[in-house]
Each structure stands twice: as structure tokens, then as C-alpha cells.
Amino acid sequence: MSKFIESLREDHEVILKALNVLNNVEAIDAIKKIVDFIKNFVDNCHHMKEKSAIPFPRIKGVS
């Protein structure tokens, strides 16, 4: 088997493993919690802290 075809076969195995994880209900719940964390904490809290810590108004988008 050529190296290219072998590489594609390995890619498909990795994709199938990822799909199997997504088919697990607990995994879906974990993913939803992580997305919720990113949306709420990172966007609302962490980025606000970063913006407030930047001392240069021009960098903050204020001319």
C-alpha cells in the first residue's frame, strides 16, 4: 500500500475515533460545558480583565 493511501487510512481511523467520542452522551455534555465556560468566563471575565489592564488607549481601540 502506498504511503499516501496509508496516511489517508490513518486519518480515517482518527476521524472515526473522534466521532465515537462525540457519540458518547457524556462527551457531548462535557463539550457543552467547555463551550459554555469559554463563552461566559473567557469572553466576559478574562477578556475584560485584559482590556482593563492595557494602559494605552490607542491599543484599547480608543483614538
Side-chain angles (χ1 to χ4, degrees):
M1 189 177 308
S2 76
K3 288 183 180 183
F4 178 74
I5 293 173
E6 180 65 22
S7 176
L8 288 175
R9 189 187 65 74
E10 290 172 0
D11 289 351
H12 288 156
E13 287 179 14
V14 171
I15 292 166
L16 287 173
K17 286 179 184 178
L19 290 173
N20 283 332
V21 169
L22 290 176
N23 283 327
N24 179 337
V25 173
E26 291 175 10
I28 291 171
D29 288 340
I31 292 168
K32 287 179 182 178
K33 287 178 183 177
I34 291 169
V35 169
D36 183 61
F37 171 78
I38 291 169
K39 283 177 153 179
N40 291 306
F41 176 75
V42 176
D43 285 345
N44 296 328
C45 298
H46 179 74
H47 288 159
M48 291 305 210
K49 286 180 186 176
E50 288 177 333
K51 288 178 184 177
S52 69
I54 297 173
F56 307 106
R58 187 169 182 170
I59 293 175
K60 291 193 326 189
V62 179
S63 310

